[in-house]
Amino acid sequence: QVQLVESGGGLVQPGGSLRLSCAASGRISSIYDMAWYRQAPGKQRELVARITRGFSTNYADSMKGRSTISRDNTKNAMYLQMNSLKPEDTAVYYCYSDVSVGLGSTVRTYWGQGTQVTVSS
Protein backbone atom coordinates (compact mmCIF):
# COMPACT_ATOMS: atom_id res chain seq x y z
CA GLN A 1 0.00 0.00 0.00
CA VAL A 2 2.93 2.33 0.65
CA GLN A 3 6.22 2.39 -1.19
CA LEU A 4 9.36 4.24 -0.16
CA VAL A 5 11.99 4.81 -2.83
CA GLU A 6 15.45 6.19 -2.06
CA SER A 7 17.67 8.00 -4.52
CA GLY A 8 20.83 10.08 -4.58
CA GLY A 9 23.38 7.50 -3.53
CA GLY A 10 26.56 6.80 -5.41
CA LEU A 11 30.34 6.98 -5.33
CA VAL A 12 31.91 10.08 -3.84
CA GLN A 13 35.43 11.02 -2.76
CA PRO A 14 36.25 11.75 0.88
CA GLY A 15 35.24 15.29 1.72
CA GLY A 16 32.50 15.29 -0.88
CA SER A 17 28.76 15.70 -0.51
CA LEU A 18 25.60 13.81 -1.36
CA ARG A 19 21.91 14.55 -1.04
CA LEU A 20 19.69 11.54 -0.46
CA SER A 21 15.98 11.64 -1.20
CA CYS A 22 13.10 9.43 -0.13
CA ALA A 23 9.79 9.58 -1.97
CA ALA A 24 6.70 7.97 -0.47
CA SER A 25 3.75 6.91 -2.60
CA GLY A 26 0.53 4.97 -2.21
CA ARG A 27 -2.66 5.40 -0.24
CA ILE A 28 -1.05 7.68 2.31
CA SER A 29 -3.18 9.46 4.85
CA SER A 30 -0.47 10.89 7.09
CA ILE A 31 3.25 10.40 7.55
CA TYR A 32 4.53 10.68 11.08
CA ASP A 33 8.15 10.05 12.06
CA MET A 34 10.68 9.58 9.27
CA ALA A 35 14.30 8.57 9.54
CA TRP A 36 17.42 7.50 7.72
CA TYR A 37 19.22 4.34 8.76
CA ARG A 38 22.37 2.81 7.36
CA GLN A 39 24.02 -0.58 7.40
CA ALA A 40 27.60 -1.37 6.45
CA PRO A 41 28.77 -4.91 5.60
CA GLY A 42 29.20 -6.99 8.74
CA LYS A 43 27.70 -4.31 10.97
CA GLN A 44 24.33 -3.70 12.56
CA ARG A 45 21.87 -1.23 11.15
CA GLU A 46 22.15 2.14 12.85
CA LEU A 47 20.13 5.33 13.00
CA VAL A 48 21.61 8.22 11.03
CA ALA A 49 19.02 10.93 11.51
CA ARG A 50 15.38 11.26 12.47
CA ILE A 51 12.71 13.89 11.87
CA THR A 52 9.20 14.08 13.30
CA ARG A 53 6.05 15.30 11.64
CA GLY A 54 6.56 18.57 13.52
CA PHE A 55 10.12 18.88 12.16
CA SER A 56 11.98 18.05 15.34
CA THR A 57 15.30 16.38 14.51
CA ASN A 58 18.04 14.32 16.04
CA TYR A 59 21.27 12.94 14.62
CA ALA A 60 23.80 10.25 15.28
CA ASP A 61 26.88 11.71 16.94
CA SER A 62 28.96 10.83 13.89
CA MET A 63 26.72 12.94 11.66
CA LYS A 64 26.23 16.02 13.80
CA GLY A 65 27.55 19.18 12.21
CA ARG A 66 27.89 17.74 8.73
CA SER A 67 24.41 16.54 7.84
CA THR A 68 20.91 17.97 7.67
CA ILE A 69 17.68 16.01 7.58
CA SER A 70 14.56 17.66 6.19
CA ARG A 71 11.10 16.80 4.92
CA ASP A 72 8.37 18.22 2.75
CA ASN A 73 4.99 17.10 4.03
CA THR A 74 3.20 18.38 0.93
CA LYS A 75 5.31 16.07 -1.24
CA ASN A 76 5.59 13.11 1.14
CA ALA A 77 9.34 13.37 0.79
CA MET A 78 12.38 13.32 3.05
CA TYR A 79 15.96 14.34 2.39
CA LEU A 80 19.40 13.96 3.90
CA GLN A 81 22.16 16.38 2.94
CA MET A 82 25.54 14.94 3.83
CA ASN A 83 28.77 16.92 3.67
CA SER A 84 32.40 16.19 4.48
CA LEU A 85 31.83 12.52 3.81
CA LYS A 86 34.24 9.96 5.21
CA PRO A 87 35.06 6.38 4.18
CA GLU A 88 33.31 5.16 7.32
CA ASP A 89 30.07 6.63 5.96
CA THR A 90 30.06 3.88 3.32
CA ALA A 91 26.87 1.86 3.74
CA VAL A 92 23.45 1.14 2.35
CA TYR A 93 21.14 3.93 3.44
CA TYR A 94 17.50 3.10 4.14
CA CYS A 95 14.43 5.28 4.35
CA TYR A 96 12.11 4.61 7.29
CA SER A 97 8.63 6.00 7.81
CA ASP A 98 5.62 5.59 10.11
CA VAL A 99 2.50 5.95 7.96
CA SER A 100 -1.28 5.82 8.30
CA VAL A 101 -2.96 4.46 5.17
CA GLY A 102 -6.17 5.52 3.45
CA LEU A 103 -8.98 6.43 5.81
CA GLY A 104 -7.58 4.32 8.63
CA SER A 105 -5.78 5.55 11.70
CA THR A 106 -3.46 2.61 12.30
CA VAL A 107 0.17 3.62 12.00
CA ARG A 108 2.49 1.14 10.31
CA THR A 109 6.20 1.09 9.65
CA TYR A 110 7.58 1.01 6.11
CA TRP A 111 11.10 0.66 4.77
CA GLY A 112 12.67 1.47 1.43
CA GLN A 113 14.97 -0.88 -0.47
CA GLY A 114 18.04 1.21 0.23
CA THR A 115 20.56 3.20 -1.76
CA GLN A 116 24.30 2.53 -1.76
CA VAL A 117 26.67 5.26 -0.61
CA THR A 118 30.36 4.60 -1.19
CA VAL A 119 33.01 7.05 0.00
CA SER A 120 36.37 6.20 -1.49
CA SER A 121 39.33 7.66 -3.34
Side-chain angles (χ1 to χ4, degrees):
Q1 292 182 301
V2 175
Q3 183 178 14
L4 305 179
V5 180
E6 302 96 337
S7 62
L11 176 63
V12 64
Q13 295 191 156
S17 298
L18 285 175
R19 184 175 188 259
L20 305 183
S21 298
C22 173
S25 61
R27 296 194 63 205
I28 298 171
S29 178
S30 298
I31 301 180
Y32 298 92
D33 289 0
M34 303 184 79
W36 289 98
Y37 286 79
R38 69 185 182 187
Q39 187 167 24
K43 298 183 179 180
Q44 293 189 15
R45 182 184 62 190
E46 64 176 351
L47 177 69
V48 178
R50 173 177 170 269
I51 184 167
T52 70
R53 187 179 183 179
F55 305 105
S56 295
T57 61
N58 67 287
Y59 299 87
D61 288 341
S62 63
M63 299 300 295
K64 291 179 179 177
R66 60 190 185 97
S67 65
T68 302
I69 188 171
S70 61
R71 64 188 288 173
D72 186 338
N73 291 339
T74 66
K75 298 181 179 179
N76 292 332
M78 177 181 62
Y79 312 94
L80 182 68
Q81 177 69 44
M82 299 188 291
N83 304 314
S84 302
L85 285 165
K86 307 172 182 178
E88 50 263 45
D89 293 320
T90 297
V92 177
Y93 285 69
Y94 295 94
C95 178
Y96 165 102
S97 184
D98 292 329
V99 183
S100 61
V101 178
L103 298 178
S105 59
T106 300
V107 179
R108 298 175 178 175
T109 297
Y110 294 89
W111 292 88
Q113 294 298 310
T115 184
Q116 177 71 48
V117 171
T118 302
V119 184
S120 177
S121 298

